[in-house]
Amino acid sequence: GVQAGHAPIVKTNGGNFADISFDVAPDDPIDALSAFGRVWYAEADRQTIKYSDLLQEDVLDTGSSGVLNMYTVWGNGNDEVVAIAEFNNYIVIFGRKQIVLFSGGEDPNNSLQIVDIVNNTGCIARDSVQNIGNDILFLSEKGVISLARNIQAGGDIRSLPVANLADNVSDFLATFSLSEPEQNIKSCYKPDDGYYLITFPSSDRTFYFNLRYPTPDNRARVFVWTSINPTALLVDRSDNLYVGKNGTIGLYSGYSDDGQEYDLFFKTGFTSGGSQDRTVKKIPKQAVAIIKGGYSTEITFLWSYDFLATVYDNETQEVEIEFEASEYGIGEYNIAEYSRVNPVSTLIYRMSGSGKAIQFGVRARIIGSELEIQRVDLYLKSGKVSRRATT
């Protein structure tokens, strides 16, 4: 374990942690990486990386240990080390302005060499770096970047916009990422559900990037959590997500907030409803929502026109209970008497008003059970032409 201002620690055979007894201690390391049978320590000057002897995390002065001087790599100290990682058998050094990939980590004294330098982007927070298996995600000044896709773009995210997974919210994200102290920014990746979380606790914002169900232009779908304000995030080996706050550790699961009900609220940006002519008014007739689960839940559909985001019309419908859930979710001999645990329902909302641009949203109270809004269709009329916009 490595943290600036603290002595590096190692887990002993007895299961406890103790300070590492180095032969020559690294200078207040800010990050460490275990890779290729060694520990790589990034020192406080953010230029020097020392790697240990093989299978000896405490030996930095003898054997096959050594030093990597990044000052000479990016020239005249024109950058600084923020984080280090391993990806596809490369040692990856994240600077603030560039990223350097080295091969030969198996025998660094004889084989370590630069294989790529990714220009025009860098990492601004050590704990934003997450290895997701076939890629590494990290926070830059431009957004949340995919390392693998950025490499394919020749190091310039402008030549392959898909490398920036937060491109559709980059300005909004930057208002929090660039004002948050670097050491406060934490992240995690949950493999089973395919999402990346990054938190900015001073700003009370946590961004949720869903990578499993991307947008049509192959960006991540983005949601924002507020009022949770975690200062630590962890996904364990059983894929449980833990959320840490001062004096509290929470488990992200179920459909209640520490036993209490909570509100779901989603709204879109303003859209012209699929019409190429943005000057023509659209007259909505109805909205059709496809809902999974949500027994007896009242779901309110809201809409507004022409960028009047504080003025909403609304209508509320209740999800009817058509099928009861099976007891314990299973049935005798694998056949449940009520086999549809979470049936799909269709709610139809009658809409009023008109405008050149429309925004809509959905609000519901979550009371201990699953609710999934799978699809919303808006039926719009523009003059004599009827159109359907799907979200």
Side-chain angles (χ1 to χ4, degrees), residues 32-318:
L33 169 70
S34 175
F36 303 106
R38 307 172 189 273
V39 178
W40 307 66
Y41 299 92
E43 294 193 323
D45 65 357
R46 295 184 178 267
Q47 301 295 331
T48 305
I49 297 175
K50 292 183 177 178
Y51 51 89
S52 73
D53 191 11
L54 194 63
L55 303 181
Q56 300 289 329
E57 80 282 346
D58 56 347
V59 177
L60 295 178
D61 193 45
T62 59
S64 60
S65 62
V67 178
L68 174 60
N69 185 354
M70 293 301 299
Y71 187 92
T72 61
V73 173
W74 36 53
N76 300 320
N78 193 34
D79 207 343
E80 62 179 26
V81 176
V82 175
I84 51 179
E86 184 273 333
F87 177 66
N88 278 2
N89 289 323
Y90 297 128
I91 297 292
V92 184
I93 311 298
F94 290 92
R96 293 193 182 277
K97 304 174 183 177
Q98 56 199 302
I99 302 167
V100 184
L101 283 76
F102 290 88
S103 65
E106 303 88 346
D107 184 12
N109 286 335
N110 298 308
S111 303
L112 197 66
Q113 59 180 338
I114 297 173
V115 294
D116 199 1
I117 297 180
V118 180
N119 296 302
N120 302 315
T121 189
C123 179
I124 63 173
R126 183 194 72 175
D127 294 332
S128 70
V129 177
Q130 293 293 329
N131 192 320
I132 66 172
N134 60 350
D135 202 350
I136 287 184
L137 305 182
F138 62 95
L139 180 67
S140 79
E141 292 183 351
K142 301 178 178 69
V144 175
I145 306 299
S146 155
L147 177 64
R149 296 172 184 177
N150 200 23
I151 293 172
Q152 294 169 11
D156 189 344
I157 66 171
R158 291 170 296 181
S159 64
L160 188 65
V162 77
N164 187 349
L165 301 181
D167 189 52
N168 49 346
V169 295
S170 56
D171 291 342
F172 181 62
L173 176 66
T175 61
F176 307 108
S177 64
L178 299 181
S179 62
E180 186 78 24
E182 174 189 343
Q183 67 272 15
N184 290 355
I185 299 173
K186 308 296 179 183
S187 70
C188 68
Y189 175 71
K190 196 168 187 297
D192 282 5
D193 297 308
Y195 63 76
Y196 170 86
L197 283 180
I198 185 163
T199 182
F200 308 100
S202 298
S203 304
D204 188 23
R205 294 293 189 278
T206 299
F207 284 74
Y208 172 112
F209 293 87
N210 190 303
L211 309 178
R212 179 167 294 177
Y213 302 105
T215 63
D217 58 356
N218 209 24
R219 297 327 196 262
R221 296 188 185 273
V222 186
F223 302 87
V224 181
W225 296 353
T226 60
S227 304
I228 299 175
N229 215 22
T231 57
L233 298 167
L234 171 70
V235 175
D236 68 9
R237 293 181 180 179
S238 299
D239 205 56
N240 296 309
L241 169 60
Y242 292 94
V243 177
K245 299 177 66 174
N246 187 14
T248 302
I249 296 177
L251 174 64
Y252 181 66
S253 67
Y255 302 99
S256 69
D257 185 3
D258 197 19
Q260 303 297 314
E261 302 172 4
Y262 64 95
D263 286 324
L264 163 69
F265 181 47
F266 167 81
K267 64 179 179 180
T268 69
F270 281 90
T271 174
S272 59
S275 171
Q276 298 298 318
D277 188 350
R278 301 180 182 230
T279 65
V280 176
K281 279 194 173 184
K282 287 77 182 175
I283 306 171
K285 294 301 186 181
Q286 65 181 17
V288 179
I290 309 299
I291 309 296
K292 180 179 178 182
Y295 310 113
S296 297
T297 300
E298 290 189 343
I299 301 177
T300 301
F301 187 80
L302 309 97
W303 62 96
S304 180
Y305 300 102
D306 298 338
F307 306 98
L308 299 175
T310 59
V311 180
Y312 288 96
D313 293 326
N314 66 85
E315 182 180 337
T316 300
Q317 298 280 348
E318 181 178 317

Side-chain angles (χ1 to χ4, degrees), residues 19-40:
D19 291 352
I20 300 177
S21 298
F22 291 99
D23 54 354
V24 176
D27 180 20
D28 191 18
I30 59 168
D31 196 12
L33 169 70
S34 175
F36 303 106
R38 307 172 189 273
V39 178
W40 307 66

